Amino acid sequence: DKTIWKYIETKPIHGSQKVIERKEDKTIIQIELKINYELKSKIFSNMDKIKVLKPEILIAQIKDISENVNSFYK
């Protein structure tokens, strides 16, 4: 999401971060690291503005956690 990009640009998620595609409404970045608690925390701290595109295992983990959180508020 473009509203979070300036922050992520100045404070990268990881040193391997590189821009893959930049559009007016979004920027696609690539990072290369192992899936861990810190990465998931970073994603969840901005979950309404960040969408994970790959790998499928991380997408599945995010969906599971999101569904668990959602169930708390039903």
Side-chain angles (χ1 to χ4, degrees), residues 2 21-28:
K2 69 179 182 178
E21 183 179 343
R22 197 174 213 167
K23 294 184 178 180
E24 186 176 320
D25 61 335
K26 65 183 174 187
T27 301
I28 297 175

Side-chain angles (χ1 to χ4, degrees), residues 43-44 52 57-67:
I43 292 166
F44 275 103
V52 175
I57 188 76
L58 180 56
I59 293 169
Q61 290 175 6
I62 290 170
K63 283 180 181 179
D64 287 346
I65 295 168
S66 296
E67 288 170 3

Side-chain angles (χ1 to χ4, degrees), residues 42-58:
K42 186 70 164 179
I43 292 166
F44 275 103
S45 70
N46 296 290
M47 69 184 297
D48 63 328
K49 295 176 179 45
I50 293 176
K51 180 179 180 181
V52 175
L53 303 175
K54 293 179 189 176
E56 290 296 325
I57 188 76
L58 180 56

Side-chain angles (χ1 to χ4, degrees):
D1 184 289
K2 69 179 182 178
T3 61
I4 194 74
W5 172 244
K6 287 293 181 187
Y7 179 78
I8 292 175
E9 184 177 35
T10 59
K11 304 216 180 337
I13 294 172
H14 187 261
S16 67
Q17 179 174 308
K18 63 181 176 179
V19 175
I20 300 300
E21 183 179 343
R22 197 174 213 167
K23 294 184 178 180
E24 186 176 320
D25 61 335
K26 65 183 174 187
T27 301
I28 297 175
I29 63 168
Q30 177 179 324
I31 54 175
E32 295 184 27
L33 66 155
K34 293 188 182 217
I35 298 170
N36 59 27
Y37 179 81
E38 289 79 14
L39 173 61
K40 288 189 263 187
S41 292
K42 186 70 164 179
I43 292 166
F44 275 103
S45 70
N46 296 290
M47 69 184 297
D48 63 328
K49 295 176 179 45
I50 293 176
K51 180 179 180 181
V52 175
L53 303 175
K54 293 179 189 176
E56 290 296 325
I57 188 76
L58 180 56
I59 293 169
Q61 290 175 6
I62 290 170
K63 283 180 181 179
D64 287 346
I65 295 168
S66 296
E67 288 170 3
N68 287 341
V69 169
N70 190 39
S71 71
F72 295 158
Y73 297 99
K74 285 188 177 183

